[in-house]
């Protein structure tokens, strides 16, 4: 297969959902369809203590949350699917945002018993920034759920996206009979208790087929009536509207019962876009350009305790990776030869020979790669849109063993680099201040410092309310500001000057007093 065909058959997406909607369960079924696992059930519910193939940290096992994002690739139909896992807990929004910059489509999973939940709303906002096409899976139909029409209406009104049901459920809970596919005019019947396998399903062609009445009894007549209502209350599937992020195809099913997930996956490979163009400061880069380009959207330390290394996740934006390729790291201008990039099959890392635009590859990182770094075959490029968010919570690090300050420095630099937390070094003293978007990040960092770097630390509350990255039109202006605001300034982990404001009022005053200085809430790389 030639390079262009390889690129065009890539489908790269992430799952967005509220915790507990079923993301982990769906991920597992997707791996089943991708033949990456033989039988589902290896991914257990979190309460039972075992963890999903996509969760690999001890922390995740202990707390039942997904702390880091992972990447998985699997073939399906004639496509190659790249699934990027998004951290499940609301606290890890920063990491999630960056993952969403690396995908071309997203699958929204909704717990149909609950409807649209808070975290899904936030994640949809992020997807909307780039008009990412969204598919929707309404999960848990094997339970007593809310009226599907009502939930669909809620998606339309709360998330401001048109719904086009592709399938429609027949019954629910104990009486869940299956779904009717509006596009193919086929009913697919559900059998319970087969969630761990790919099932042989029975299909009945035609809504008026008497076989349907024989199979589902009175539900057949109900379905016929219901569909008229549904068609009146919703939209027809329209590919252009979907690709523009304005309409979402909706599928119903149960991830636990492994029913309907394949309908969604079929929709995904058929309709989700091939690798999309990416904006760089200099120009827009098309995926099918012959030369390799890509950017790092995530760094993860100590992914595998056996390897104890750091891996930078790079989204290939154009061209092809080939073992031994010579690449330029545009931020530093350095050339490197890459011979050991990794790919992620069901969480297993493997060295790869080649990869294509749309794929995610892992680069071994010895501290020289940062989030946002662009790699090319020589052209100077800087991909845009990978954000760092101003933290809202701050703690001063207290080291239990003062002799370990070197390890602390190293651990924090690495954890900051991977985006687990932000670290600030005030200009006026030797404090080490951590900044986070959510409180759980502090626990994760303390845990990881202890287990991965053998440093025990505690935190003090500190009088910082918010942080802003500062910039000025000229070096001279910045220097002047540096003198005046010295006591409130710090360097962040990547060496950027940051203003730490004790109160919001203080920040406001500083902004008024220094109109020539830009106080940035996000630092876009
Ligand atoms: P998440 O990654 O989005 O947080 O959700 P996850 O897949 O872990 O699912 C959350 C809970 O919902 C799990 O139950 C899971 O078994 C259940 N679940 C997922 N899909 C379905 C479905 O289609 N139907 C039903 N009835 N339940 C579903 P748990 O209680 O946390 O785990 P367990 O101990 O029951 O295994």
């Amino acid at each position: 297969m030639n390079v262009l065909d390889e690129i065009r058959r890539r489908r790269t997406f992430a799952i967005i959902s509220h915790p507990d909607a079923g993301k982990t369960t769906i991920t597992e079924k997707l791996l089943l369809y991708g033949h990456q696992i033989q039988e589902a059930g290896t991914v257990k519910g979190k309460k039972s203590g075992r963890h999903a193939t996509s969760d690999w940290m001890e922390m995740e096992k202990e707390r039942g949350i997904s702390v880091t994002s992972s990447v998985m690739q699997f073939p399906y139909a004639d496509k190659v699917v790249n699934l990027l896992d998004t951290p499940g807990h609301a606290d890890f929004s920063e990491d999630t945002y960056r993952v969403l910059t690396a995908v071309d489509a997203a699958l929204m999973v909704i717990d149909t018993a609950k409807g649209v939940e808070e975290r899904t709303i936030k994640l949809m906002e992020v997807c909307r920034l780039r008009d990412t096409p969204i598919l929707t899976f309404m999960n848990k139909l094997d339970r007593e759920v809310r009226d599907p029409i009502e939930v669909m209406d809620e998606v339309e009104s709360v998330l401001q996206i048109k719904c086009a049901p592709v399938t429609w459920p027949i019954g629910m809970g104990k009486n869940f009979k299956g779904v009717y596919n509006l596009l193919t005019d086929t009913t697919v019947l559900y059998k319970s208790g087969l969630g761990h396998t790919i099932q042989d399903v029975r299909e009945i062609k035609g809504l008026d087929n008497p076989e349907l009445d024989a199979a589902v009894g009175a539900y057949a007549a109900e379905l016929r009536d219901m569909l008229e209502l549904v068609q009146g209350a919703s939209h027809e599937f329209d590919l252009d509207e979907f690709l523009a992020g304005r309409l979402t195809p909706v599928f119903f099913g149960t991830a636990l019962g492994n029913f309907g997930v394949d309908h969604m996956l079929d929709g995904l490979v058929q309709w989700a876009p091939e690798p999309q163009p990416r904006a760089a400061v200099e120009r827009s880069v098309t995926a099918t350009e012959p030369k390799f380009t890509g950017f790092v959207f995530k760094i993860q330390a100590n992914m595998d305790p056996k390897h104890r290394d750091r891996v930078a996740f790079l989204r290939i934006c154009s061209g092809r990776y080939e073992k031994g390729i010579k690449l330029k790291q545009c931020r530093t201008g350095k050339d490197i030869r890459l011979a050991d990039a990794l790919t992620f099959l069901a969480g297993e890392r493997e060295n790869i020979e080649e990869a294509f635009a749309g794929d995610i590859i892992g680069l071994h990182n010895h501290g020289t790669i940062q989030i946002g770094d662009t790699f090319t075959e020589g052209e100077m490029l800087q991909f845009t849109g990978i954000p760092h968010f101003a933290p809202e919570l701050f703690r001063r690090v207290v080291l239990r063993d003062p002799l370990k300050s070197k390890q602390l420095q190293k651990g924090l630099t690495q954890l900051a680099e991977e985006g687990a937390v932000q670290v600030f070094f005030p200009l006026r003293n030797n404090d080490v201040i951590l900044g986070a978007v959510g409180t759980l990040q502090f626990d994760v960092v303390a845990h990881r410092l202890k287990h991965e770097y053998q440093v025990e630390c505690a935190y003090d509350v500190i009088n910082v309310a918010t942080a802003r990255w500062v910039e000025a039109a000229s070096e001279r202006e910045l220097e002047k500001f540096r003198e005046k605001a010295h006591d409130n300034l710090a360097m962040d982990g990547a060496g950027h000057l940051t203003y730490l404001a004790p109160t919001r009022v203080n920040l406001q005053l500083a902004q008024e007093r220094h109109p020539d200085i830009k106080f940035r809430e996000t630092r876009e790389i």
Side-chain angles (χ1 to χ4, degrees):
M1 194 175 288
N2 70 33
V3 176
L4 288 188
D5 289 340
E6 284 287 3
I7 292 172
R8 290 195 179 119
R9 73 189 189 115
R10 261 56 191 174
R11 296 292 180 271
T12 304
F13 80 109
I15 299 179
I16 59 173
S17 61
H18 194 80
D20 276 346
K23 184 185 61 145
T24 312
T25 314
I26 288 197
T27 302
E28 187 199 32
K29 307 301 164 170
L30 291 172
L31 293 179
L32 193 63
Y33 287 109
H35 299 290
Q36 300 301 305
I37 50 176
Q38 301 313 316
E39 190 171 287
T42 44
V43 179
K44 274 282 169 190
K46 292 149 197 168
K47 284 173 202 143
S48 57
R50 279 209 262 161
H51 65 124
T53 317
S54 67
D55 293 355
W56 44 39
M57 280 178 54
E58 205 181 329
M59 212 32 218
E60 294 173 320
K61 279 185 269 170
E62 281 178 16
R63 307 192 67 143
I65 51 163
S66 171
V67 180
T68 51
S69 340
S70 53
V71 176
M72 276 169 285
Q73 186 183 71
F74 56 89
Y76 186 75
D78 54 349
K79 304 290 191 297
V80 175
V81 179
N82 293 304
L83 168 59
L84 279 60
D85 188 19
T86 45
H89 197 279
D91 268 6
F92 291 88
S93 43
E94 261 200 281
D95 215 7
T96 308
Y97 287 136
R98 288 194 287 257
V99 166
L100 292 176
T101 63
V103 299
D104 301 304
L107 166 64
M108 173 163 73
V109 178
I110 287 183
D111 179 341
T112 319
K114 299 206 173 126
V116 177
E117 295 177 89
E118 161 257 325
R119 180 144 163 79
T120 310
I121 300 176
K122 275 199 191 155
L123 291 168
M124 266 297 281
E125 281 168 15
V126 181
C127 289
R128 188 145 283 138
L129 295 175
R130 303 175 65 245
D131 296 327
T132 307
I134 312 273
L135 294 105
T136 301
F137 188 76
M138 298 277 193
N139 192 23
K140 306 199 185 180
L141 262 292
D142 60 320
R143 285 192 182 164
E144 290 304 319
V145 292
R146 287 171 53 191
D147 174 4
I149 292 208
E150 191 187 295
V151 179
M152 205 173 62
D153 279 350
E154 192 170 289
V155 170
E156 294 217 336
S157 62
V158 177
L159 302 176
Q160 294 291 306
I161 189 163
K162 291 184 278 183
C163 287
V166 176
T167 63
W168 196 258
I170 307 170
M172 66 170 76
K174 285 205 172 60
N175 293 316
F176 181 49
K177 304 288 181 197
V179 296
Y180 169 76
N181 188 313
L182 284 81
L183 301 187
T184 60
D185 185 26
T186 311
T187 301
V188 189
L189 296 177
Y190 169 66
K191 273 192 265 170
S192 65
L194 297 172
H196 56 292
T197 54
I198 296 179
Q199 303 148 32
D200 283 331
V201 287
R202 186 173 156 214
E203 296 190 355
I204 298 171
K205 182 79 189 164
L207 191 57
D208 295 322
N209 191 333
E211 272 185 48
L212 183 60
D213 299 81
V216 303
Y219 285 97
E222 203 177 285
L223 172 69
R224 290 179 193 118
D225 288 347
M226 182 57 89
L227 280 174
E228 279 181 29
L229 240 176
V230 171
Q231 273 152 347
S234 64
H235 299 82
E236 258 181 53
F237 180 71
D238 178 315
L239 187 59
D240 291 334
E241 286 289 283
F242 164 66
L243 292 174
R246 287 193 292 263
L247 172 143
T248 177
V250 180
F251 301 83
F252 290 85
T254 155
L256 197 62
N258 194 18
F259 185 84
V261 176
D262 51 339
H263 308 156
M264 185 283 303
L265 187 55
D266 288 336
L268 179 97
V269 294
Q270 192 183 345
W271 300 320
E274 58 187 56
Q276 292 294 288
R278 298 270 142 180
V281 174
E282 298 77 5
R283 64 187 185 87
S284 171
V285 177
T286 310
T288 48
E289 288 178 21
K291 294 221 161 140
F292 178 103
T293 65
F295 68 88
V296 173
F297 62 95
K298 174 185 171 58
I299 291 178
Q300 195 173 321
N302 306 326
M303 249 174 52
D304 179 343
K306 283 188 299 235
H307 295 270
R308 298 201 68 81
D309 57 358
R310 276 177 284 167
V311 172
F313 291 81
L314 178 141
R315 148 96 196 202
I316 305 180
C317 296
S318 66
R320 164 175 181 260
Y321 161 85
E322 183 187 9
K323 193 173 173 168
I325 193 172
K326 203 173 112 197
L327 293 179
K328 182 182 282 302
Q329 181 178 17
C330 296
R331 179 175 52 83
T332 58
K334 283 204 182 105
D335 290 330
I336 53 163
R337 193 170 287 284
L338 259 186
D340 56 356
L342 301 167
T343 182
F344 305 92
L345 289 159
E348 296 290 329
R349 344 156 5 133
E350 283 179 12
N351 280 320
I352 38 158
E353 297 295 323
E354 58 176 6
F356 302 89
D359 287 342
I360 311 300
I361 57 174
L363 313 182
H364 292 285
N365 175 23
H366 305 289
T368 50
I369 303 177
Q370 290 181 5
I371 290 173
D373 276 0
T374 297
F375 286 84
T376 68
E377 283 188 58
E379 184 181 354
M380 286 305 274
L381 273 183
Q382 174 61 64
F383 285 106
T384 57
I386 307 120
H388 272 289
F389 295 87
E392 297 290 324
L393 300 161
F394 298 85
R395 298 281 187 277
R396 193 168 70 85
V397 182
V398 185
L399 198 54
R400 293 222 200 271
D401 177 356
L403 292 177
K404 295 226 166 163
S405 80
K406 256 210 177 126
Q407 274 108 309
L408 177 75
Q409 194 93 8
K410 178 175 165 208
L412 284 180
T413 312
Q414 294 192 356
L415 293 175
E417 206 176 69
E418 86 178 64
V421 75
Q422 299 188 37
V423 55
F424 301 96
F425 305 101
L427 299 186
R428 67 186 165 119
N429 59 26
N430 289 328
D431 279 356
V432 178
I433 296 175
L434 296 189
V437 178
T439 45
L440 203 61
Q441 278 176 267
F442 295 123
D443 294 353
V444 173
V445 166
H447 178 96
R448 293 188 58 186
L449 281 173
K450 185 170 164 198
H451 291 272
E452 293 165 26
Y453 301 92
Q454 286 73 49
V455 184
E456 288 204 47
C457 71
Y459 300 119
D460 266 354
V461 174
I462 185 167
N463 190 21
V464 178
T466 187
R468 292 290 181 272
W469 286 285
V470 294
E471 275 171 23
S474 72
E475 239 350 275
R476 232 186 88 235
E477 268 172 48
L478 199 62
E479 197 46 48
K480 247 172 50 193
F481 179 64
R482 211 182 152 104
E483 274 165 34
K484 285 211 177 112
H486 180 267
D487 284 2
N488 286 101
L489 289 173
M491 297 308 273
D492 77 358
H496 294 272
L497 197 60
T498 318
Y499 186 84
L500 301 181
T503 60
R504 298 240 161 217
V505 176
N506 170 286
L507 175 66
Q508 211 177 334
L509 287 175
Q511 283 168 316
E512 283 165 17
R513 219 171 282 153
H514 304 281
D516 296 337
I517 300 290
K518 286 206 180 92
F519 292 78
R520 294 206 181 278
E521 217 169 319
T522 55
R523 179 163 71 77
E524 205 174 90
I525 336 166

